[in-house]
Amino acid sequence: MTIDAYAYPPCGTNKKIKFYCPDMVADIEKIERMLQGEQRVACLDFVRKMLEKHPDHSVPLFYNAILNLQLSDESKAEDAVNLFLEKHPGNPAAHALKATLEASLGKGDEAIDQLQTALEKTEERLHPSLYDAFGAVGQMLLMTGKVLGARSHFTLQSNLAPDDDNMPMQMLMRLNNSPEIPIFLKQDLSLAECPADFPRKDEFNKALQDAAQGLWRKGLQQFEELRAGAPRNPAILENIAALQFSLGQDDVAAKTLHTYAVAEQRNDFEAATEAEALAKALTDQEEEQIDVVNASMPILEMEPLLEKLRVDERCEHLPIDLSQLGTEESPPPRAAYLLLDKPRTQSGVGLTLENVSSVLGELLVYGKETDRPARVEFTSAKGPLFDEAVSTLKEICGDAVDPTVSEDVQGRIFALQDLMNWQWRLPDDTPNDVRNQLMTEKRREVILEKWVNFPLLTLSGKTPLEASKDSELRLPLAAEVLTLEMVGQQEKWKFDFSELCEKLNLPITGKLPSENLDVLNLPITRLHRVPAAELSDQDLIQAYGRSVIRGLNKAVEILANELLVRESLKDQIDRSQLYGELARTASDSDEALAYLKKAQEEATAQGRSPGLWMVAELSMRFERREMQEAQVLMQTLMSKYAQEPQTAQALFGVLQRFGLITPDGRMAGGMPGGMPGGPPPAQPGPEAGGGLWTPGAPAGPPPQAAPPQAAPPADGGEEKKSGLWLPGMD
């Protein structure tokens, strides 16, 4: 390649090549050719020879640092970067490379500090190394659970991204789409404008200007100075918290946000509640925990015990592979059961909540070992039903066991998590509408009768009902309810939170007024309350887009249905995609299937292939174990749509997900008509309910990240997290 003598050198200086390093033009051209040819080892050797001639020059020092970061071990990379920084402490590229290095080493504060220094030292143009550093620091923040800081870095990087780099936007989409990240952490950080009556307006706006350019540390220092003269100014506090989050200072930002919420609650209680809920989400709460206990009793007579367990309908046999439960220290159990509080009814038709069988825990029967007697082991959380469960087990086992119970703690869970989750065993013929109705009734009972009477440390140890009578606890109580409501939206709960607010004497948040409604800047926690029918076409589309991007199920449902009936948009929107989103957000699988059918019909009516939507239906049929319907779908897909690249790829992914295709592409089994063998028959097991996010609750991390708090395993049975594949999920 030919180097323009009037271009800037690659090392980050603001002097042009002709005036800074004219004698290095040929060397730079050779280095760039080798880099384009990916000859990094040879290139590093050449750069080292340059360093022998010019040991203090920024050009070879820059290339030496870059190549060592890409090729060498950690210590060599650190030496090369530090050498560049030592020789040229005013060069922004040197600080950017140092930020990238520190991020790769997991040194968050140091990485952010170096990146901010690089930005502050940038005079005219942003060096490419700063762009890369934003991505590296964003990844590091994500891996350490600082989601809001990661969002800020990826957002700024996305704004600077060239047309051929969509990685920052992909990272933001991953964050937005992750069901494991609380909705509060999906809100873009924004900065408040200067209040009209604030006397130091020029200083305020200068801090805003710096912060908007990514100079978050500098902007934070300026706002902190302003805060000294106005310690409870809501706009200043809000901006300080936003900048602290951007800089990865989550702990101090949460405290600032709490101060803002307290200061703002008289003027805007809803904004204060949202701030308090976010602060709560990022604050480690030492909520009450309970033990998960393994309670064992020695077996006196094995065969009589097995017979008692076999005939008692409160013991549900689990036909699982017991060999998988053995260890090197202990042989596998002889039998496994679920312990129920009452026998299952013969039929689920007309089943009521009072007749549902609840799972008390898991029961394993072990034979005699060399160093241990035969025993029966019962495992459960030691919650309110634990003693009842042990008594039930003793009653069933009778004189076949020694009633002396030994307890061994297996772990601990949050007591609130145990309260908000439940496990059922419903009759196999329970209709889907009955399941849904039971789930709705149970959730209403748990929230309105149990949760409201559960002491919370965020409420000074009081229950929500007690806190509702204390004016000092009104704000944290509202934050707890909002947190619960956002969990419900992510988990597709069918529950009217206005009923809970009324019970707790909190403001009932209804539809937002349409006048002066800014849907682009509206907090995402309010999008489900927009008056959809009153929005303009543009506002409706924008509100829907924001809701889809962040997985706001309730808002998507409301806005998608309005888009479907809006005549003015009939020819401007993809109705099949709207039905697909409604299928994704549906809490009922029958309803989801109906939407997928409509998506197929709309695609066909628009002259497009319905193949992708048929694959989505196939995914759900497999999940529902409706193999006859799945076989018909497979035959149609194979005969009509298998030649479509996108459909074929999606079909392969679904078949692989359900174990019907091996990773190398072979069928795992066969059925007439080319239909691969279906999943094995469903094993009897508990159907769980509930699903509450609590501070510190464990959960699998989203792509590239482990958020500081996330939802525990979601509702099983009829409300478990769906394995449904839909177009656009890959």
Side-chain angles (χ1 to χ4, degrees), residues 300-491:
L300 302 177
E301 298 179 281
M302 176 63 75
E303 296 308 319
L305 172 67
L306 292 175
E307 180 62 17
K308 288 175 182 290
L309 297 176
R310 186 185 69 81
V311 300
D312 197 301
E313 294 182 342
R314 290 171 294 180
C315 296
E316 178 115 1
H317 181 253
L318 289 176
I320 58 178
D321 182 2
L322 298 175
S323 65
Q324 299 297 316
L325 302 180
T327 65
E328 292 183 1
E329 295 78 23
S330 176
R334 293 186 56 175
Y337 299 87
L338 291 176
L339 182 64
L340 309 180
D341 66 338
K342 65 175 73 70
R344 277 202 293 169
T345 59
Q346 292 299 311
S347 173
V349 178
L351 188 65
T352 64
L353 199 58
E354 293 74 20
N355 295 329
V356 171
S357 299
S358 295
V359 176
L360 299 176
E362 182 184 81
L363 191 64
L364 298 176
V365 179
Y366 287 90
K368 185 177 181 180
E369 301 171 30
T370 304
D371 56 346
R372 300 184 69 180
R375 65 198 183 281
V376 57
E377 292 187 354
F378 170 71
T379 303
S380 173
K382 199 166 184 180
L385 299 179
F386 182 79
D387 291 339
E388 174 191 339
V390 173
S391 296
T392 300
L393 181 58
K394 288 182 178 181
E395 177 189 335
I396 294 171
C397 296
D399 56 7
V401 300
D402 180 338
T404 304
V405 177
S406 300
E407 294 185 5
D408 180 28
V409 176
Q410 304 292 302
R412 292 176 66 78
I413 64 172
F414 287 100
L416 185 57
Q417 181 181 343
D418 180 62
L419 175 81
M420 297 295 291
N421 287 272
W422 61 88
Q423 290 185 313
W424 288 338
R425 275 300 282 133
L426 304 180
D428 295 335
D429 69 343
T430 305
N432 200 45
D433 60 338
V434 173
R435 292 172 184 263
N436 293 332
Q437 180 61 31
L438 290 172
M439 184 64 71
T440 300
E441 291 177 8
K442 181 65 175 180
R443 177 160 291 112
R444 185 175 182 276
E445 173 192 294
V446 167
I447 293 176
L448 293 179
E449 297 180 19
K450 295 184 178 180
W451 182 82
V452 298
N453 288 296
F454 187 87
L456 297 171
L457 291 184
T458 53
L459 303 178
S460 302
K462 294 184 178 182
T463 70
L465 272 178
E466 292 169 340
S468 68
K469 300 175 177 62
D470 187 340
S471 60
E472 295 296 320
L473 296 175
R474 187 168 181 259
L475 178 62
L477 176 60
E480 288 288 349
V481 172
L482 180 60
T483 299
L484 198 63
E485 184 178 6
M486 291 302 103
V487 171
Q489 185 166 162
Q490 284 188 292
E491 299 294 337

Side-chain angles (χ1 to χ4, degrees), residues 481-512:
V481 172
L482 180 60
T483 299
L484 198 63
E485 184 178 6
M486 291 302 103
V487 171
Q489 185 166 162
Q490 284 188 292
E491 299 294 337
K492 308 174 188 178
W493 292 356
K494 290 184 177 179
F495 179 75
D496 184 0
F497 277 89
S498 63
E499 190 174 3
L500 177 61
C501 289
E502 184 177 2
K503 186 166 188 171
L504 297 177
N505 299 315
L506 291 172
I508 297 176
T509 53
K511 290 289 183 185
L512 296 170

Side-chain angles (χ1 to χ4, degrees), residues 45 60 96 104 155 174 188 210 212 235 289 315 317 345 355 376 436 493 547 554 630 675 677 699:
D45 288 338
S104 70
T155 298
R174 280 177 158 181
D188 290 325
D210 287 339
Q289 295 187 18
C315 296
H317 181 253
T345 59
N355 295 329
V376 57
N436 293 332
W493 292 356
S547 302
K554 189 174 181 180
M675 176 65 188

